[in-house]
Amino acid sequence: QVQLVESGGGLVQAGDSLRLSCAASGGTFTSYAMGWFRQAPGKEREFVARIRRNGVSTRFTDSVKGRFTISRDNAKNTVYLQMNSLKPEDTAVYLCAAAPGGSTLYVESSDYTYWGQGTQVTVST
């Protein structure tokens, strides 16, 4: 059993920055690839970013590339999503996810086994 708890969301203005955190417990953090997804009301869940177990390989969806950064601190069992130059279209519930293993790219919701409940990010104009 792996538990994931997101934090760091809030209300910001366009152009501002925000850092989300995802704290993991109940498993071996270094055994999991970690991902961030987001979901706006009435819309399908969207892949945002992922980082592999070694923390070296990262991947982002095109709409956030160059603005967002994903990182992990294995000593704290935490993965982060640094969001810069936020836009109103970034408004969504952001969810953290963990994948035990495999050889996929980890860009689909079905690639992940464990999910947090999400943290709300709202970007105003």
Side-chain angles (χ1 to χ4, degrees):
Q1 280 279 9
V2 175
Q3 294 176 322
L4 305 173
V5 180
E6 303 95 336
S7 62
L11 174 63
V12 298
Q13 291 186 316
D16 284 354
S17 297
L18 207 58
R19 188 176 77 162
L20 306 183
S21 299
C22 173
S25 62
T28 304
F29 183 69
T30 54
S31 297
Y32 302 101
M34 302 295 296
W36 285 98
F37 291 75
R38 64 187 181 187
Q39 189 166 22
K43 296 184 178 180
E44 193 170 319
R45 186 170 296 176
E46 176 190 22
F47 167 77
V48 177
R50 73 102 168 92
I51 186 167
R52 289 192 176 273
R53 290 175 291 174
N54 60 16
V56 175
S57 179
T58 61
R59 191 179 185 91
F60 303 89
T61 192
D62 287 344
S63 63
V64 308
K65 191 173 183 179
R67 299 189 296 121
F68 290 11
T69 301
I70 187 171
S71 62
R72 64 194 297 161
D73 186 339
N74 290 338
K76 296 181 178 180
N77 290 350
T78 301
V79 63
Y80 303 95
L81 184 68
Q82 177 66 46
M83 305 183 293
N84 299 324
S85 301
L86 283 163
K87 304 175 180 179
E89 50 263 44
D90 294 320
T91 296
V93 173
Y94 283 71
L95 302 104
C96 174
S103 58
T104 72
L105 294 176
Y106 298 105
V107 298
E108 303 288 343
S109 294
S110 59
D111 295 332
Y112 295 83
T113 301
Y114 305 104
W115 293 82
Q117 295 193 82
T119 185
Q120 177 70 48
V121 173
T122 303
V123 184
S124 65
T125 58

